[in-house]
Amino acid sequence: MSRILWRALLAASLLCAIGLLPWLSRTDPALTVLKARSAERTPDPEVLAAVREQLGLDAGPSHLLWQWIAGLARGDAGRSWISGDEVGPAVLQALGVSLLLMAVALVVAAATAAAITARTLWLGSRRRLDERGGGGGTSAVLAALPEFLTASVLAAVVGVHLGWLPALGWYGPRWTLLPAIALGLPAGALLGRMLDDMLPGAFAEPWALAAAARGIPGRSVARQALRRCVPGLLPNTGLFVVGLTGGAVAVEQIFDIPGLGRTTLQAAIAQDLPVLQAGTLALVLLAAGAGALARLTARLLIGPALRDGALLSLHRPTQPAPRATPLLYGAVLLGVIAAGLARDPLALDTGARLQPPSWVHPFGTDALGRDVLARIGHGAFGTLTLASAISAAALLTGVVLGLLPRLSGPLVDTVNAVPPVLVALLTAAVAGSGAATPALAVAAVAWAPLAAHTTALLEQERATTHVTATKGLGADRWYLLRHELLPAVLPPVTRHALLRLPSVALALTALGFLGLGTQPPDPEWGLLLAENQPYVERAPWAVLAPAAVLALLGVLAVEVARGVRLPRRRAVTVRQPKPATAVGPGAGAGEPG
């Protein structure tokens, strides 16, 4: 009951904050609505007064919010301030579009995750995990792909040039494929990477060893290993469901999809409060339903072992194998940044516009003739510093709140229901627009997946046999937390945070792409992608260069998550030759030859 009340309080607070958006932004709602209705009309005082009277703005935000809630109780979500149409049917239609797109994107994500984990499943089912090696580069590149860049390339190449699939609009199932691929590839890569990290622990459990000894087919063992690991991922899968529904704003913009994310963004920009509040309420309810379903499914998959404390830990601390590849990737990334810092990112050369890569300009030039390598190097400090700081803060916040599931569970669902773009608009309304706006907006939501992951692992870890045995020896809660729970939970959550480092950088770049971050001529990576995206067909290098650096960051994060350890030099032992002895018919035992 307390969790339901806490969830209702959070939802009410969110809706109140959204209802206060025009007043928080210190703008005249009547002027914004008038511009959205008719940009050519002169905003005379009489006209603005008529708009205020029509919308009831003079009564204040509390009256409008109460009026909207009273209408919801009667099944009426109100009418749009811009078009005058009923809000309910429009929001439900947009929600249906986004749910269909989300379902297809989840299929793509599942196929991507299956491709990433296929080799580990095959080796684990045959007890050959020692041949697994490093890997992870492909999944890191896919996870680091900007959704809006993938969408632009798919629309231009597959949709326009090849004509295989429609690239614009929303008229049937065929129109879902390209945007679903753009959304599903990075989501599936991240989930597949996390699942691949858990599978070796499942294959090392006694039941897997016993199954192999009894000759049970490998596919059955692999299926049970998946069942053992999936519950730890289900909370994050529930977050992806909501994120793919309301957070696909950039992809919906590119493909002209009338989804809920795009509808909510347009309503927020135009300050159309009835549409904005109804869309947010739909996402909050979806987040609550997806979270509850994920938790229920996880309990059904684990079964009575969770209740009886009969699980084994999948994440005991292990020393990483000797690997120096992260140092190599880090050196390449630092080399690119250092080479860019030695150049001028603002030097214009209109005679060298959109030049391909050459010795003079290794990464080519942009539409104003500026050196792309220089802009990548100078923009790296802001992008990487912000992304690293936000990831560290998100890890700390996620772990702390994840240890308090009754508090963090409803909070995670509510925070995840708000698209990052809407969070950025709310942040800009309170703190003003600028370079700090996207950082604050991303930091406000980046901790939620880590908190959900911490809670899921902690619930399973508390049901393990070694924790039960430690309790039986008289250990108190603090001892269990310091010596048993945190050592098992922190490593996988830290690896998860490292895997999300490119995602944090992508969130910053996506907000920059939508015009909510830094402004020109700042060389921030999101702004680079946004500026050069219209020229992706004519000068693909101007977009692919910053995208490749993001992919390199993703590979580096995956490699660091696997552990860094320099190989030790093996001591060379010089063996002394033994004295020769004659072995033959005339040689006696022990006689020298």
Side-chain angles (χ1 to χ4, degrees):
M1 187 63 182
S2 59
R3 178 171 291 190
I4 296 177
L5 292 176
W6 173 231
R7 190 183 299 275
L9 178 61
L10 291 172
S13 302
L14 175 61
L15 292 175
C16 288
I18 292 173
L20 291 172
L21 178 60
W23 289 269
L24 290 174
S25 59
R26 296 173 292 278
T27 59
D28 187 357
L31 179 59
T32 306
V33 171
L34 180 63
K35 288 182 178 180
R37 288 179 176 178
S38 178
E40 297 82 9
R41 193 169 182 180
T42 305
D44 296 329
E46 295 80 7
V47 176
L48 294 178
V51 174
R52 293 190 191 95
E53 183 179 0
Q54 178 188 2
L55 301 180
L57 295 174
D58 293 333
S62 58
H63 173 75
L64 290 175
L65 183 61
W66 176 254
Q67 188 178 17
W68 181 74
I69 294 175
L72 280 181
R74 300 189 304 268
D76 181 14
R79 291 185 174 273
S80 169
W81 287 0
I82 308 301
S83 64
D85 298 333
E86 292 186 6
V87 170
V91 169
L92 288 178
Q93 183 179 3
L95 178 61
V97 170
S98 293
L99 288 177
L100 176 59
L101 178 60
M102 176 268 295
V104 182
L106 282 182
V107 173
V108 175
T112 305
I116 290 172
T117 58
R119 186 169 183 269
T120 300
L121 286 171
W122 187 83
L123 292 175
S125 63
R126 286 159 176 76
R127 317 302 306 167
R128 293 165 54 185
L129 280 176
D130 54 335
E131 303 175 15
R132 183 169 170 240
T138 303
S139 61
V141 172
L142 292 177
L145 283 178
E147 295 173 353
F148 54 86
L149 176 60
T150 308
S152 300
V153 172
L154 289 175
V157 177
V158 180
V160 177
H161 287 299
L162 300 178
W164 291 347
L165 292 170
L168 195 66
W170 187 265
Y171 304 102
R174 293 180 65 241
W175 277 259
T176 65
L177 295 180
L178 291 183
I181 293 173
L183 291 171
L185 281 178
L190 183 58
L191 289 175
R193 187 73 257 148
M194 293 171 61
L195 180 60
D196 197 65
D197 182 48
M198 299 171 67
L199 282 172
F203 282 117
E205 290 186 339
W207 65 265
L209 301 176
R214 292 181 62 88
I216 295 177
R219 59 179 178 272
S220 299
V221 178
R223 186 167 58 250
Q224 293 302 320
L226 277 177
R227 180 176 178 176
R228 174 69 179 90
C229 296
V230 163
L233 295 181
L234 282 175
N236 273 276
T237 305
L239 298 184
F240 273 115
V241 167
V242 183
L244 293 176
T245 304
V249 179
V251 175
E252 291 178 354
Q253 290 274 61
I254 292 171
F255 287 99
D256 194 24
I257 299 173
L260 189 58
R262 185 184 178 195
T263 301
T264 306
L265 174 62
Q266 292 175 345
I269 294 174
Q271 296 189 356
D272 192 354
L273 287 187
V275 177
L276 179 58
Q277 289 174 316
T280 306
L281 180 61
L283 288 175
V284 168
L285 294 177
L286 176 64
L293 181 61
R295 288 188 290 271
L296 177 62
T297 307
R299 288 184 174 273
L300 291 177
L301 286 176
I302 297 178
L306 188 66
R307 180 197 62 217
D308 298 337
L311 292 176
L312 293 178
S313 177
L314 293 175
H315 299 286
R316 300 308 299 166
T318 55
Q319 191 176 19
R323 301 173 66 254
T325 49
L327 303 178
L328 174 62
Y329 290 122
V332 173
L333 181 60
L334 290 177
V336 171
I337 294 173
L341 289 175
R343 299 166 176 262
D344 186 359
L346 302 178
L348 301 177
D349 186 2
T350 55
R353 296 176 63 251
L354 301 177
Q355 292 294 315
S358 62
W359 287 109
V360 180
H361 303 288
F363 286 179
T365 60
D366 63 7
L368 297 178
R370 296 173 296 191
D371 188 81
V372 175
L373 175 59
R375 295 184 64 75
I376 289 176
H378 285 266
F381 179 78
T383 303
L384 296 182
T385 302
L386 277 179
S388 301
I390 291 172
S391 298
L395 174 61
L396 178 61
T397 307
V399 170
V400 171
L401 290 179
L403 297 176
L404 307 170
R406 292 183 179 275
L407 172 68
S408 63
L411 187 59
V412 166
D413 294 340
T414 305
V415 167
N416 187 63
V418 188
V421 176
L422 182 55
V423 177
L425 288 174
L426 290 171
T427 305
V430 177
S433 59
T437 299
L440 293 174
V442 175
V445 298
W447 59 269
L450 301 176
H453 194 192
T454 300
T455 299
L457 294 181
L458 193 67
E459 184 181 28
Q460 295 189 37
E461 199 65 29
R462 282 172 173 162
T464 55
T465 53
H466 71 90
V467 170
T468 303
T470 308
K471 284 182 181 179
L473 295 175
D476 58 11
R477 290 184 177 181
W478 291 110
Y479 182 90
L480 289 174
L481 182 64
R482 293 195 310 269
H483 298 281
E484 299 293 338
L485 299 178
L486 284 181
V489 171
L490 274 180
V493 177
T494 303
R495 290 194 293 269
H496 184 185
L498 285 171
L499 292 176
R500 283 193 174 269
L501 176 61
S503 302
V504 171
L506 285 179
L508 294 171
T509 59
L511 293 177
F513 175 80
L514 293 171
L516 297 175
T518 56
Q519 301 300 317
D522 194 286
E524 193 268 333
W525 288 358
L527 196 56
L528 291 184
L529 291 169
E531 290 175 342
N532 297 314
Q533 189 265 342
Y535 309 99
V536 65
E537 299 180 45
R538 180 181 172 187
W541 53 85
V543 175
L544 293 179
V549 178
L550 276 172
L552 179 61
L553 175 64
V555 175
L556 175 61
V558 169
E559 293 295 330
V560 172
R562 286 179 172 271
V564 183
R565 223 179 104 206
L566 291 175
R568 296 178 181 178
R569 292 185 177 181
R570 294 183 177 180
V572 179
T573 303
V574 179
R575 296 183 178 180
Q576 297 294 333
K578 295 180 179 180
T581 56
V583 180
E591 294 181 359

